Amino acid sequence: MTMLGLLTPQSRNVKVFIKAFRQTRRSRYSSISSVRNIRSFISENTEIVGEQSLTPEVKLRLFTPNCRFWRERPELWPFDDPYWAIYWPGGQALSRYLLDNPAVCRGKTVLDLGSGCGASAIAAKLCGAAHVVANDIDTVAVVATQMNFELNGLEPAVCLSNNMIGSQPEGFDLILLGDMFYEEALATSLHSWLDRCIRTQGTKVLIGDPGRAQFEEHGIRRLLRQLAQFELPESVREENYGLTCSSVWCYRPEL
């Protein structure tokens, strides 16, 4: 990507973009901390898109080449890493799967863990889920998700910013995870918690991932059954190291 002037137009790469934010990371919530100001900031620094993703029927506020922070110096960004401003390939596959198979979440209580932009939570709600909770530890992502729900004509989202991994599992029929297996330590803690959710609550778990090494090489991989695979649009391939496909998996600890 050519975000923040870090890369040439020919070298479009999401990972470098996020790395730049992390290197200059500063928590400066005090200056624009109110929800109203965060909403205004998101509106001014994102663009409504959707057509070039796997889910063109879902509209999202994301970073594009038309946005200021696509090319701005990263130290000017006032928040933590903007993972919510990118529609990651695992989340795209997971959302597409739900929209193609609405019975999976119709009438269910659904948790979208690490919800980011909220796309999978939106897909679940569009498919008739009875209750949807979007959970992300980034409070800016929570606001972005609320805005994206409104953008798609949905009632205000139930959004939580506490870290639910390791918490007492209760009340969810379905847990959704898109692009959450990007670090080994996180993958291990997720593995333990998801196993407990399934064994104590009978929760169904769906995972979206494009085949990152941290996912493919982790022990949880042998406990998964592939449900679907989607070919990524060309623009998404270019933004993600040329990954061509993204898959949806069902977590089955009994395997």
Side-chain angles (χ1 to χ4, degrees):
M1 288 185 172
T2 55
M3 300 177 184
L4 299 125
L6 298 172
L7 308 170
T8 65
Q10 291 76 30
S11 178
R12 296 167 48 183
N13 190 297
V14 170
K15 187 173 182 179
V16 175
F17 168 53
I18 291 296
K19 182 179 179 182
F21 276 108
R22 187 167 293 159
Q23 290 171 340
T24 59
R25 187 173 185 164
R26 299 176 184 177
S27 290
R28 290 183 277 171
Y29 290 101
S30 58
S31 61
I32 53 172
S33 58
S34 76
V35 171
R36 178 181 297 179
N37 287 339
I38 292 174
R39 289 175 69 96
S40 177
F41 185 88
I42 292 173
S43 294
E44 293 170 1
N45 292 284
T46 58
E47 188 174 31
I48 298 173
V49 297
E51 294 78 6
Q52 296 185 15
S53 73
L54 284 175
T55 58
E57 61 267 60
V58 175
K59 297 181 177 62
L60 300 168
R61 286 193 168 276
L62 303 173
F63 282 153
T64 76
N66 298 323
C67 299
R68 170 191 170 193
F69 282 96
W70 186 280
R71 56 189 177 279
E72 188 59 273
R73 300 197 314 276
E75 62 267 21
L76 297 180
W77 180 257
F79 303 115
D80 290 334
D81 302 339
Y83 290 105
W84 56 266
I86 298 167
Y87 194 9
W88 301 92
Q92 291 198 32
L94 188 55
S95 300
R96 182 70 268 159
Y97 178 79
L98 295 179
L99 292 168
D100 289 346
N101 301 274
V104 170
C105 47
R106 184 180 297 126
K108 304 291 179 58
T109 298
V110 180
L111 171 64
D112 182 7
L113 187 71
S115 51
C117 65
S120 295
I122 289 170
K125 198 63 179 176
L126 290 173
C127 291
H131 184 64
V132 177
V133 174
N135 174 236
D136 199 296
I137 59 173
D138 184 351
T139 55
V140 181
V142 166
V143 176
T145 292
Q146 292 169 338
M147 294 175 69
N148 285 331
F149 261 67
E150 296 166 6
L151 189 61
N152 287 276
L154 298 172
E155 296 179 357
V158 176
C159 297
L160 302 177
S161 59
N162 58 304
N163 186 356
M164 296 185 68
I165 301 173
S167 65
Q168 184 63 34
E170 55 182 60
F172 292 108
D173 303 309
L174 176 65
I175 296 178
L176 308 173
L177 302 97
D179 303 281
M180 286 290 285
F181 292 84
Y182 54 86
E183 292 178 350
E184 184 175 356
L186 176 59
T188 299
S189 62
L190 277 171
H191 186 180
S192 175
W193 184 66
L194 292 173
D195 185 72
R196 184 152 54 97
C197 290
I198 293 172
R199 295 186 185 282
T200 62
Q201 301 293 319
T203 307
K204 182 175 182 178
V205 176
L206 296 182
I207 297 170
D209 194 275
R212 295 185 181 87
Q214 298 91 329
F215 174 72
E216 293 291 339
E217 296 171 4
H218 195 274
I220 196 175
R221 177 66 179 77
R222 63 183 175 80
L223 304 176
L224 304 178
R225 177 169 61 89
Q226 188 178 44
L227 299 179
Q229 185 178 75
F230 300 94
E231 185 175 336
L232 295 169
E234 185 62 34
S235 60
V236 180
R237 297 186 190 189
E238 293 176 2
E239 294 166 359
N240 290 274
Y241 283 113
L243 291 170
T244 59
C245 298
S246 189
S247 298
V248 175
W249 307 80
C250 179
Y251 183 31
R252 300 181 61 188
E254 74 276 9
L255 292 177

mmCIF file of all heavy atoms in Angstrom, residues 95-143:
data_model
loop_
_atom_site.group_PDB
_atom_site.id
_atom_site.type_symbol
_atom_site.label_atom_id
_atom_site.label_comp_id
_atom_site.label_asym_id
_atom_site.label_seq_id
_atom_site.Cartn_x
_atom_site.Cartn_y
_atom_site.Cartn_z
ATOM 1 N N SER A 95 -17.021 -13.574 6.698
ATOM 2 C CA SER A 95 -18.247 -12.820 6.430
ATOM 3 C C SER A 95 -18.967 -13.352 5.193
ATOM 4 O O SER A 95 -20.200 -13.472 5.185
ATOM 5 C CB SER A 95 -17.910 -11.332 6.252
ATOM 6 O OG SER A 95 -17.311 -10.807 7.419
ATOM 7 N N ARG A 96 -18.208 -13.691 4.150
ATOM 8 C CA ARG A 96 -18.804 -14.238 2.929
ATOM 9 C C ARG A 96 -19.487 -15.571 3.220
ATOM 10 O O ARG A 96 -20.586 -15.839 2.708
ATOM 11 C CB ARG A 96 -17.724 -14.422 1.871
ATOM 12 C CG ARG A 96 -18.179 -14.946 0.513
ATOM 13 C CD ARG A 96 -19.005 -13.906 -0.243
ATOM 14 N NE ARG A 96 -20.419 -14.022 -0.002
ATOM 15 C CZ ARG A 96 -21.284 -13.013 -0.212
ATOM 16 N NH1 ARG A 96 -20.859 -11.838 -0.660
ATOM 17 N NH2 ARG A 96 -22.557 -13.181 0.033
ATOM 18 N N TYR A 97 -18.851 -16.384 4.030
ATOM 19 C CA TYR A 97 -19.424 -17.683 4.378
ATOM 20 C C TYR A 97 -20.752 -17.520 5.111
ATOM 21 O O TYR A 97 -21.724 -18.226 4.813
ATOM 22 C CB TYR A 97 -18.443 -18.479 5.234
ATOM 23 C CG TYR A 97 -18.990 -19.825 5.668
ATOM 24 C CD1 TYR A 97 -18.999 -20.903 4.792
ATOM 25 C CD2 TYR A 97 -19.512 -20.003 6.949
ATOM 26 C CE1 TYR A 97 -19.518 -22.131 5.171
ATOM 27 C CE2 TYR A 97 -20.027 -21.224 7.343
ATOM 28 C CZ TYR A 97 -20.033 -22.281 6.450
ATOM 29 O OH TYR A 97 -20.558 -23.498 6.843
ATOM 30 N N LEU A 98 -20.805 -16.601 6.054
ATOM 31 C CA LEU A 98 -22.047 -16.371 6.790
ATOM 32 C C LEU A 98 -23.152 -15.881 5.870
ATOM 33 O O LEU A 98 -24.294 -16.361 5.940
ATOM 34 C CB LEU A 98 -21.811 -15.345 7.907
ATOM 35 C CG LEU A 98 -20.858 -15.745 9.033
ATOM 36 C CD1 LEU A 98 -20.730 -14.612 10.036
ATOM 37 C CD2 LEU A 98 -21.323 -17.023 9.727
ATOM 38 N N LEU A 99 -22.834 -14.953 4.994
ATOM 39 C CA LEU A 99 -23.839 -14.405 4.080
ATOM 40 C C LEU A 99 -24.343 -15.463 3.103
ATOM 41 O O LEU A 99 -25.504 -15.438 2.695
ATOM 42 C CB LEU A 99 -23.256 -13.211 3.321
ATOM 43 C CG LEU A 99 -22.973 -11.968 4.176
ATOM 44 C CD1 LEU A 99 -22.136 -10.959 3.404
ATOM 45 C CD2 LEU A 99 -24.275 -11.330 4.650
ATOM 46 N N ASP A 100 -23.476 -16.408 2.755
ATOM 47 C CA ASP A 100 -23.880 -17.493 1.858
ATOM 48 C C ASP A 100 -24.626 -18.601 2.594
ATOM 49 O O ASP A 100 -25.326 -19.401 1.968
ATOM 50 C CB ASP A 100 -22.644 -18.104 1.176
ATOM 51 C CG ASP A 100 -22.028 -17.179 0.146
ATOM 52 O OD1 ASP A 100 -22.680 -16.186 -0.237
ATOM 53 O OD2 ASP A 100 -20.883 -17.447 -0.264
ATOM 54 N N ASN A 101 -24.465 -18.648 3.917
ATOM 55 C CA ASN A 101 -25.088 -19.707 4.727
ATOM 56 C C ASN A 101 -25.768 -19.088 5.953
ATOM 57 O O ASN A 101 -25.348 -19.308 7.096
ATOM 58 C CB ASN A 101 -24.032 -20.719 5.171
ATOM 59 C CG ASN A 101 -23.320 -21.377 4.007
ATOM 60 O OD1 ASN A 101 -23.786 -22.374 3.462
ATOM 61 N ND2 ASN A 101 -22.173 -20.817 3.622
ATOM 62 N N PRO A 102 -26.802 -18.297 5.740
ATOM 63 C CA PRO A 102 -27.423 -17.549 6.847
ATOM 64 C C PRO A 102 -27.950 -18.412 7.984
ATOM 65 O O PRO A 102 -28.041 -17.946 9.120
ATOM 66 C CB PRO A 102 -28.554 -16.774 6.158
ATOM 67 C CG PRO A 102 -28.823 -17.514 4.887
ATOM 68 C CD PRO A 102 -27.496 -18.057 4.452
ATOM 69 N N ALA A 103 -28.281 -19.678 7.698
ATOM 70 C CA ALA A 103 -28.806 -20.552 8.753
ATOM 71 C C ALA A 103 -27.782 -20.800 9.851
ATOM 72 O O ALA A 103 -28.151 -21.165 10.980
ATOM 73 C CB ALA A 103 -29.254 -21.885 8.156
ATOM 74 N N VAL A 104 -26.509 -20.584 9.548
ATOM 75 C CA VAL A 104 -25.447 -20.810 10.536
ATOM 76 C C VAL A 104 -25.651 -19.931 11.767
ATOM 77 O O VAL A 104 -25.358 -20.344 12.894
ATOM 78 C CB VAL A 104 -24.064 -20.547 9.909
ATOM 79 C CG1 VAL A 104 -22.971 -20.543 10.970
ATOM 80 C CG2 VAL A 104 -23.756 -21.596 8.849
ATOM 81 N N CYS A 105 -26.137 -18.712 11.559
ATOM 82 C CA CYS A 105 -26.289 -17.807 12.703
ATOM 83 C C CYS A 105 -27.709 -17.291 12.902
ATOM 84 O O CYS A 105 -27.955 -16.536 13.838
ATOM 85 C CB CYS A 105 -25.309 -16.638 12.610
ATOM 86 S SG CYS A 105 -25.213 -15.836 11.031
ATOM 87 N N ARG A 106 -28.638 -17.720 12.072
ATOM 88 C CA ARG A 106 -30.012 -17.254 12.237
ATOM 89 C C ARG A 106 -30.570 -17.679 13.598
ATOM 90 O O ARG A 106 -30.532 -18.855 13.966
ATOM 91 C CB ARG A 106 -30.899 -17.793 11.126
ATOM 92 C CG ARG A 106 -32.333 -17.258 11.180
ATOM 93 C CD ARG A 106 -33.173 -17.820 10.057
ATOM 94 N NE ARG A 106 -32.657 -17.406 8.746
ATOM 95 C CZ ARG A 106 -32.345 -18.236 7.762
ATOM 96 N NH1 ARG A 106 -32.489 -19.547 7.934
ATOM 97 N NH2 ARG A 106 -31.896 -17.773 6.608
ATOM 98 N N GLY A 107 -31.049 -16.703 14.363
ATOM 99 C CA GLY A 107 -31.623 -16.965 15.669
ATOM 100 C C GLY A 107 -30.619 -17.245 16.762
ATOM 101 O O GLY A 107 -30.995 -17.541 17.898
ATOM 102 N N LYS A 108 -29.321 -17.152 16.454
ATOM 103 C CA LYS A 108 -28.272 -17.504 17.410
ATOM 104 C C LYS A 108 -27.739 -16.264 18.150
ATOM 105 O O LYS A 108 -27.918 -15.135 17.710
ATOM 106 C CB LYS A 108 -27.106 -18.189 16.685
ATOM 107 C CG LYS A 108 -27.490 -19.417 15.873
ATOM 108 C CD LYS A 108 -27.909 -20.570 16.755
ATOM 109 C CE LYS A 108 -28.314 -21.782 15.934
ATOM 110 N NZ LYS A 108 -27.255 -22.260 15.038
ATOM 111 N N THR A 109 -27.065 -16.535 19.261
ATOM 112 C CA THR A 109 -26.316 -15.510 19.981
ATOM 113 C C THR A 109 -24.864 -15.636 19.555
ATOM 114 O O THR A 109 -24.246 -16.688 19.729
ATOM 115 C CB THR A 109 -26.441 -15.695 21.506
ATOM 116 O OG1 THR A 109 -27.816 -15.562 21.872
ATOM 117 C CG2 THR A 109 -25.628 -14.645 22.241
ATOM 118 N N VAL A 110 -24.322 -14.563 18.967
ATOM 119 C CA VAL A 110 -23.034 -14.626 18.276
ATOM 120 C C VAL A 110 -22.031 -13.653 18.883
ATOM 121 O O VAL A 110 -22.361 -12.500 19.176
ATOM 122 C CB VAL A 110 -23.216 -14.305 16.775
ATOM 123 C CG1 VAL A 110 -21.878 -14.372 16.044
ATOM 124 C CG2 VAL A 110 -24.225 -15.254 16.142
ATOM 125 N N LEU A 111 -20.792 -14.107 19.050
ATOM 126 C CA LEU A 111 -19.680 -13.259 19.472
ATOM 127 C C LEU A 111 -18.676 -13.160 18.339
ATOM 128 O O LEU A 111 -18.181 -14.177 17.855
ATOM 129 C CB LEU A 111 -18.993 -13.849 20.709
ATOM 130 C CG LEU A 111 -17.670 -13.183 21.132
ATOM 131 C CD1 LEU A 111 -17.891 -11.734 21.548
ATOM 132 C CD2 LEU A 111 -16.994 -13.980 22.247
ATOM 133 N N ASP A 112 -18.371 -11.930 17.918
ATOM 134 C CA ASP A 112 -17.310 -11.681 16.942
ATOM 135 C C ASP A 112 -16.099 -11.209 17.742
ATOM 136 O O ASP A 112 -16.042 -10.063 18.194
ATOM 137 C CB ASP A 112 -17.760 -10.615 15.936
ATOM 138 C CG ASP A 112 -16.718 -10.348 14.853
ATOM 139 O OD1 ASP A 112 -15.713 -11.070 14.797
ATOM 140 O OD2 ASP A 112 -16.917 -9.393 14.068
ATOM 141 N N LEU A 113 -15.141 -12.106 17.947
ATOM 142 C CA LEU A 113 -13.982 -11.840 18.798
ATOM 143 C C LEU A 113 -12.858 -11.217 17.976
ATOM 144 O O LEU A 113 -12.486 -11.742 16.928
ATOM 145 C CB LEU A 113 -13.500 -13.140 19.442
ATOM 146 C CG LEU A 113 -12.403 -13.010 20.494
ATOM 147 C CD1 LEU A 113 -12.942 -12.383 21.761
ATOM 148 C CD2 LEU A 113 -11.804 -14.383 20.796
ATOM 149 N N GLY A 114 -12.296 -10.098 18.459
ATOM 150 C CA GLY A 114 -11.300 -9.375 17.683
ATOM 151 C C GLY A 114 -11.959 -8.798 16.450
ATOM 152 O O GLY A 114 -11.481 -8.978 15.333
ATOM 153 N N SER A 115 -13.063 -8.100 16.665
ATOM 154 C CA SER A 115 -13.994 -7.743 15.583
ATOM 155 C C SER A 115 -13.464 -6.726 14.585
ATOM 156 O O SER A 115 -13.968 -6.644 13.469
ATOM 157 C CB SER A 115 -15.318 -7.237 16.180
ATOM 158 O OG SER A 115 -15.083 -6.234 17.148
ATOM 159 N N GLY A 116 -12.461 -5.933 14.956
ATOM 160 C CA GLY A 116 -11.897 -4.987 13.996
ATOM 161 C C GLY A 116 -12.921 -4.020 13.461
ATOM 162 O O GLY A 116 -13.554 -3.260 14.199
ATOM 163 N N CYS A 117 -13.137 -4.050 12.149
ATOM 164 C CA CYS A 117 -14.112 -3.156 11.515
ATOM 165 C C CYS A 117 -15.547 -3.608 11.736
ATOM 166 O O CYS A 117 -16.488 -2.891 11.399
ATOM 167 C CB CYS A 117 -13.825 -3.027 10.026
ATOM 168 S SG CYS A 117 -14.032 -4.573 9.092
ATOM 169 N N GLY A 118 -15.732 -4.819 12.282
ATOM 170 C CA GLY A 118 -17.072 -5.306 12.588
ATOM 171 C C GLY A 118 -17.770 -6.022 11.456
ATOM 172 O O GLY A 118 -18.962 -6.321 11.558
ATOM 173 N N ALA A 119 -17.052 -6.355 10.392
ATOM 174 C CA ALA A 119 -17.684 -6.942 9.210
ATOM 175 C C ALA A 119 -18.394 -8.264 9.503
ATOM 176 O O ALA A 119 -19.520 -8.494 9.056
ATOM 177 C CB ALA A 119 -16.660 -7.137 8.096
ATOM 178 N N SER A 120 -17.747 -9.149 10.253
ATOM 179 C CA SER A 120 -18.364 -10.453 10.538
ATOM 180 C C SER A 120 -19.575 -10.304 11.455
ATOM 181 O O SER A 120 -20.567 -11.025 11.313
ATOM 182 C CB SER A 120 -17.343 -11.406 11.155
ATOM 183 O OG SER A 120 -16.319 -11.711 10.226
ATOM 184 N N ALA A 121 -19.500 -9.370 12.397
ATOM 185 C CA ALA A 121 -20.654 -9.091 13.250
ATOM 186 C C ALA A 121 -21.813 -8.553 12.417
ATOM 187 O O ALA A 121 -22.977 -8.916 12.632
ATOM 188 C CB ALA A 121 -20.270 -8.093 14.338
ATOM 189 N N ILE A 122 -21.499 -7.701 11.459
ATOM 190 C CA ILE A 122 -22.525 -7.156 10.560
ATOM 191 C C ILE A 122 -23.146 -8.279 9.735
ATOM 192 O O ILE A 122 -24.372 -8.357 9.591
ATOM 193 C CB ILE A 122 -21.906 -6.078 9.645
ATOM 194 C CG1 ILE A 122 -21.569 -4.832 10.457
ATOM 195 C CG2 ILE A 122 -22.847 -5.726 8.494
ATOM 196 C CD1 ILE A 122 -20.736 -3.816 9.709
ATOM 197 N N ALA A 123 -22.298 -9.156 9.191
ATOM 198 C CA ALA A 123 -22.808 -10.278 8.393
ATOM 199 C C ALA A 123 -23.729 -11.156 9.222
ATOM 200 O O ALA A 123 -24.793 -11.586 8.755
ATOM 201 C CB ALA A 123 -21.636 -11.098 7.841
ATOM 202 N N ALA A 124 -23.344 -11.422 10.471
ATOM 203 C CA ALA A 124 -24.179 -12.250 11.346
ATOM 204 C C ALA A 124 -25.533 -11.595 11.580
ATOM 205 O O ALA A 124 -26.576 -12.265 11.553
ATOM 206 C CB ALA A 124 -23.465 -12.484 12.672
ATOM 207 N N LYS A 125 -25.525 -10.297 11.796
ATOM 208 C CA LYS A 125 -26.788 -9.586 12.036
ATOM 209 C C LYS A 125 -27.654 -9.575 10.782
ATOM 210 O O LYS A 125 -28.878 -9.758 10.855
ATOM 211 C CB LYS A 125 -26.492 -8.153 12.493
ATOM 212 C CG LYS A 125 -27.675 -7.473 13.170
ATOM 213 C CD LYS A 125 -28.064 -8.179 14.443
ATOM 214 C CE LYS A 125 -29.237 -7.499 15.135
ATOM 215 N NZ LYS A 125 -29.681 -8.243 16.331
ATOM 216 N N LEU A 126 -27.032 -9.368 9.632
ATOM 217 C CA LEU A 126 -27.777 -9.385 8.370
ATOM 218 C C LEU A 126 -28.397 -10.754 8.108
ATOM 219 O O LEU A 126 -29.420 -10.850 7.432
ATOM 220 C CB LEU A 126 -26.856 -8.998 7.208
ATOM 221 C CG LEU A 126 -26.396 -7.534 7.146
ATOM 222 C CD1 LEU A 126 -25.358 -7.350 6.038
ATOM 223 C CD2 LEU A 126 -27.586 -6.600 6.906
ATOM 224 N N CYS A 127 -27.779 -11.800 8.650
ATOM 225 C CA CYS A 127 -28.281 -13.162 8.452
ATOM 226 C C CYS A 127 -29.338 -13.562 9.473
ATOM 227 O O CYS A 127 -29.804 -14.705 9.465
ATOM 228 C CB CYS A 127 -27.119 -14.150 8.502
ATOM 229 S SG CYS A 127 -25.996 -14.021 7.100
ATOM 230 N N GLY A 128 -29.693 -12.650 10.362
ATOM 231 C CA GLY A 128 -30.777 -12.929 11.288
ATOM 232 C C GLY A 128 -30.367 -13.431 12.652
ATOM 233 O O GLY A 128 -31.195 -14.031 13.361
ATOM 234 N N ALA A 129 -29.110 -13.206 13.054
ATOM 235 C CA ALA A 129 -28.705 -13.588 14.409
ATOM 236 C C ALA A 129 -29.573 -12.846 15.417
ATOM 237 O O ALA A 129 -29.881 -11.665 15.248
ATOM 238 C CB ALA A 129 -27.228 -13.253 14.633
ATOM 239 N N ALA A 130 -29.962 -13.546 16.474
ATOM 240 C CA ALA A 130 -30.834 -12.941 17.483
ATOM 241 C C ALA A 130 -30.098 -11.879 18.289
ATOM 242 O O ALA A 130 -30.679 -10.855 18.661
ATOM 243 C CB ALA A 130 -31.379 -14.024 18.404
ATOM 244 N N HIS A 131 -28.830 -12.130 18.571
ATOM 245 C CA HIS A 131 -28.043 -11.196 19.383
ATOM 246 C C HIS A 131 -26.589 -11.297 18.952
ATOM 247 O O HIS A 131 -26.041 -12.402 18.854
ATOM 248 C CB HIS A 131 -28.184 -11.539 20.869
ATOM 249 C CG HIS A 131 -27.488 -10.580 21.784
ATOM 250 N ND1 HIS A 131 -27.844 -9.255 21.898
ATOM 251 C CD2 HIS A 131 -26.441 -10.766 22.647
ATOM 252 C CE1 HIS A 131 -27.071 -8.656 22.787
ATOM 253 N NE2 HIS A 131 -26.208 -9.552 23.252
ATOM 254 N N VAL A 132 -25.962 -10.169 18.684
ATOM 255 C CA VAL A 132 -24.574 -10.140 18.230
ATOM 256 C C VAL A 132 -23.763 -9.218 19.135
ATOM 257 O O VAL A 132 -24.165 -8.084 19.403
ATOM 258 C CB VAL A 132 -24.465 -9.652 16.768
ATOM 259 C CG1 VAL A 132 -22.993 -9.568 16.349
ATOM 260 C CG2 VAL A 132 -25.233 -10.570 15.837
ATOM 261 N N VAL A 133 -22.617 -9.712 19.588
ATOM 262 C CA VAL A 133 -21.679 -8.916 20.373
ATOM 263 C C VAL A 133 -20.370 -8.825 19.599
ATOM 264 O O VAL A 133 -19.809 -9.842 19.188
ATOM 265 C CB VAL A 133 -21.416 -9.535 21.755
ATOM 266 C CG1 VAL A 133 -20.324 -8.761 22.495
ATOM 267 C CG2 VAL A 133 -22.699 -9.564 22.579
ATOM 268 N N ALA A 134 -19.894 -7.595 19.385
ATOM 269 C CA ALA A 134 -18.597 -7.368 18.749
ATOM 270 C C ALA A 134 -17.607 -7.003 19.844
ATOM 271 O O ALA A 134 -17.850 -6.086 20.627
ATOM 272 C CB ALA A 134 -18.697 -6.249 17.721
ATOM 273 N N ASN A 135 -16.499 -7.728 19.900
ATOM 274 C CA ASN A 135 -15.514 -7.521 20.963
ATOM 275 C C ASN A 135 -14.150 -7.200 20.372
ATOM 276 O O ASN A 135 -13.614 -7.970 19.579
ATOM 277 C CB ASN A 135 -15.433 -8.762 21.848
ATOM 278 C CG ASN A 135 -14.315 -8.677 22.887
ATOM 279 O OD1 ASN A 135 -13.454 -9.535 22.954
ATOM 280 N ND2 ASN A 135 -14.319 -7.641 23.701
ATOM 281 N N ASP A 136 -13.594 -6.049 20.759
ATOM 282 C CA ASP A 136 -12.244 -5.675 20.341
ATOM 283 C C ASP A 136 -11.644 -4.821 21.452
ATOM 284 O O ASP A 136 -12.317 -3.930 21.976
ATOM 285 C CB ASP A 136 -12.268 -4.896 19.027
ATOM 286 C CG ASP A 136 -10.919 -4.890 18.331
ATOM 287 O OD1 ASP A 136 -9.955 -4.324 18.897
ATOM 288 O OD2 ASP A 136 -10.810 -5.470 17.232
ATOM 289 N N ILE A 137 -10.390 -5.088 21.815
ATOM 290 C CA ILE A 137 -9.774 -4.357 22.917
ATOM 291 C C ILE A 137 -9.406 -2.924 22.532
ATOM 292 O O ILE A 137 -9.056 -2.131 23.400
ATOM 293 C CB ILE A 137 -8.532 -5.091 23.446
ATOM 294 C CG1 ILE A 137 -7.483 -5.265 22.340
ATOM 295 C CG2 ILE A 137 -8.921 -6.440 24.038
ATOM 296 C CD1 ILE A 137 -6.163 -5.839 22.850
ATOM 297 N N ASP A 138 -9.489 -2.585 21.253
ATOM 298 C CA ASP A 138 -9.230 -1.222 20.791
ATOM 299 C C ASP A 138 -10.538 -0.432 20.839
ATOM 300 O O ASP A 138 -11.487 -0.743 20.109
ATOM 301 C CB ASP A 138 -8.668 -1.251 19.375
ATOM 302 C CG ASP A 138 -8.286 0.129 18.857
ATOM 303 O OD1 ASP A 138 -8.597 1.146 19.514
ATOM 304 O OD2 ASP A 138 -7.683 0.196 17.767
ATOM 305 N N THR A 139 -10.599 0.594 21.671
ATOM 306 C CA THR A 139 -11.830 1.365 21.804
ATOM 307 C C THR A 139 -12.180 2.125 20.529
ATOM 308 O O THR A 139 -13.357 2.416 20.278
ATOM 309 C CB THR A 139 -11.725 2.360 22.974
ATOM 310 O OG1 THR A 139 -10.569 3.191 22.796
ATOM 311 C CG2 THR A 139 -11.607 1.625 24.298
ATOM 312 N N VAL A 140 -11.192 2.446 19.709
ATOM 313 C CA VAL A 140 -11.480 3.102 18.432
ATOM 314 C C VAL A 140 -12.153 2.117 17.479
ATOM 315 O O VAL A 140 -13.065 2.482 16.733
ATOM 316 C CB VAL A 140 -10.198 3.681 17.807
ATOM 317 C CG1 VAL A 140 -10.512 4.376 16.481
ATOM 318 C CG2 VAL A 140 -9.543 4.669 18.766
ATOM 319 N N ALA A 141 -11.728 0.853 17.522
ATOM 320 C CA ALA A 141 -12.378 -0.182 16.718
ATOM 321 C C ALA A 141 -13.837 -0.341 17.122
ATOM 322 O O ALA A 141 -14.711 -0.572 16.269
ATOM 323 C CB ALA A 141 -11.642 -1.514 16.866
ATOM 324 N N VAL A 142 -14.113 -0.216 18.412
ATOM 325 C CA VAL A 142 -15.490 -0.307 18.895
ATOM 326 C C VAL A 142 -16.350 0.794 18.271
ATOM 327 O O VAL A 142 -17.454 0.541 17.798
ATOM 328 C CB VAL A 142 -15.529 -0.211 20.434
ATOM 329 C CG1 VAL A 142 -16.941 0.034 20.938
ATOM 330 C CG2 VAL A 142 -14.956 -1.478 21.064
ATOM 331 N N VAL A 143 -15.824 2.007 18.240
ATOM 332 C CA VAL A 143 -16.561 3.125 17.638
ATOM 333 C C VAL A 143 -16.725 2.901 16.138
ATOM 334 O O VAL A 143 -17.801 3.130 15.569
ATOM 335 C CB VAL A 143 -15.843 4.461 17.914
ATOM 336 C CG1 VAL A 143 -16.572 5.611 17.208
ATOM 337 C CG2 VAL A 143 -15.768 4.732 19.408
#
